[in-house]
Every structure is written in C-alpha cells, then in structure tokens.
Amino acid sequence: DAGVIQSPRHEVTEMGQEVTLRCKPISGHDYLFWYRQTMMRGLELLIYFNNNVPIDDSGMPEDRFSAKMPNASFSTLKIQPSEPRDSAVYFCASSFGTGIIGYTFGSGTRLTVV
Amino acid sequence: DQQVKQNSPSLSVQEGRISILNCDYTNSMFDYFLWYKKYPAEGPTFLISISSIKDKNEDGRFTVFLNKSAKHLSLHIVPSQPGDSAVYFCAAMITGTYKYIFGTGTRLKVLA
C-alpha cells in the first residue's frame, strides 16, 4: 500500500487566495483526520470523518475552512480566503476502526500564505 | 486550552545514554495514550502505546510509563541512538471518541 497520499507537498499562495489541500487515505480505512501542525500548538485536530461523514469539526478554526470527503478514497481541505496565519503544515491521517493502534499519517502539505 | 502538554521543546542526549521525554495531560477521562515519532518532511509515525489499565509498556528500546494519579506519562529510550533524533509527540484519547489530542512535541537530538 502506498500509504496516505497528500498533495501538494508545498503550497505558496497570496493572502486572499483559495487553497485546496488533497488527501487519499489508505484503502479500507474508515476514519480520516485532518491535523494542522504549528510550533505553538503542535498537532491540532481540525476535523475527522467516519465512512465519509464529518463527525467532529470543532477544531476547524473559522468559516474560512471547509473539508469534504466525497468518497472513501478522497478528501479535501479548503481555505478561502487564505491568511498569513494559516501558514502551517497540514497533515491528513487515516485509520481503521477505533484507532487503538494509531493513525497512519501522510507526509503533509506545507502551506505558506504571503 | 492545551489538554496535552509537552513542556520541554527540546532535549539533547549522548549516544548510548537514556532519553526521557515527558508528557502531562489535564483531562482525567483520557484512557489511551500514544507516542509518535516525526522526522523532518515526513508525517508522524506510531511508536508505542499504553492503555490506562497499565502503568508500563515496553517495546525493545522504548518503554512508556503512565502515572494516572499525576496525569503524567513518559517515554524512555535506552540506549539512545543517533537515528532516534526526531520530534516526539505524545497523544491521548478517550476511548470511543476516535480522536487523539496531541501535545506540542519535543525535539530530541542524540549526539554521537
């Protein structure tokens, strides 16, 4: 299995632009998570899905952020409009079942908003 | 409010010595804990876990200790190797919620 695949690896965009981050989870995994890593807050959970349905989006910072999972093999995290404070590394992770053995993370997308 | 805290942003240890990474949590409902290791430009990878019904779990050079009364867990690496140099995150979950809350990470540097 190729693991969790995220694209792009790096994204540089201007303030006010729309940014879309993409994730392909491991086949057969029924949970998908979006995390954001910053120096100050570490890994913050933004939203997670179970069987393509959003379960908990309490970590989404504000209405500028949205996430979708149209099918079991694809998810997007969109920021519109982007702001410099959104600059961070965004990770997608997937798991099967309860996650007792942890999640499998993708390599992340480093977002820079200038 | 940070429910899972790693108060040491960085740690340096000589090769062959013990590395001890600490993690504190505030929510007494957490009952499952993980440690993840993260190399630069890669995603975090699972290292070791512990359930709240235990106070210790070992896997090779890695041992995790849990002190529920103090709401504290620690990761011991013995002996430390240069390849262990990475950022280590602890994470906690309330079983059934399916989501882990992560700490801010500790950067470990093992000196050859």
Side-chain angles (χ1 to χ4, degrees), chain A residues 9 31 33 35 37-43 45 48 56 58 91 97-108, chain B residues 1-2 32 34 36 38 41-46 49 87 89 93 95-105 107:
Chain A
R9 288 299 305 272
Y31 284 86
F33 305 84
Y35 279 85
Q37 183 190 6
T38 61
M39 289 293 292
M40 291 298 295
R41 301 179 68 86
L43 281 162
L45 177 63
Y48 78 94
D56 184 343
S58 59
F91 287 101
T98 61
I100 288 294
I101 57 171
Y103 309 152
T104 301
F105 280 83
S107 297
Chain B
D1 184 32
Q2 199 77 15
Y32 203 81
L34 301 179
Y36 274 81
K38 184 185 178 306
E42 296 182 11
T45 55
F46 170 75
S49 64
V87 177
F89 291 95
M93 179 175 74
T95 302
T97 63
Y98 306 110
K99 64 179 184 180
Y100 284 101
I101 308 300
F102 282 79
T104 51
R107 183 178 301 277

Side-chain angles (χ1 to χ4, degrees), chain A residues 27-92:
Chain A
S27 177
H29 281 190
D30 54 352
Y31 284 86
L32 183 138
F33 305 84
W34 282 99
Y35 279 85
R36 176 171 69 176
Q37 183 190 6
T38 61
M39 289 293 292
M40 291 298 295
R41 301 179 68 86
L43 281 162
E44 295 177 273
L45 177 63
L46 301 177
I47 186 171
Y48 78 94
F49 296 82
N50 176 224
N51 291 324
N52 314 337
V53 176
I55 303 299
D56 184 343
D57 66 354
S58 59
M60 295 287 259
E62 46 198 276
D63 291 345
R64 298 184 297 107
F65 286 69
S66 62
K68 293 182 179 179
M69 192 166 185
N71 57 61
S73 59
F74 185 65
S75 177
T76 59
L77 178 68
K78 186 177 293 186
I79 308 172
Q80 164 65 19
S82 57
E83 297 181 3
R85 61 190 167 122
D86 301 330
S87 297
V89 182
Y90 291 80
F91 287 101
C92 176

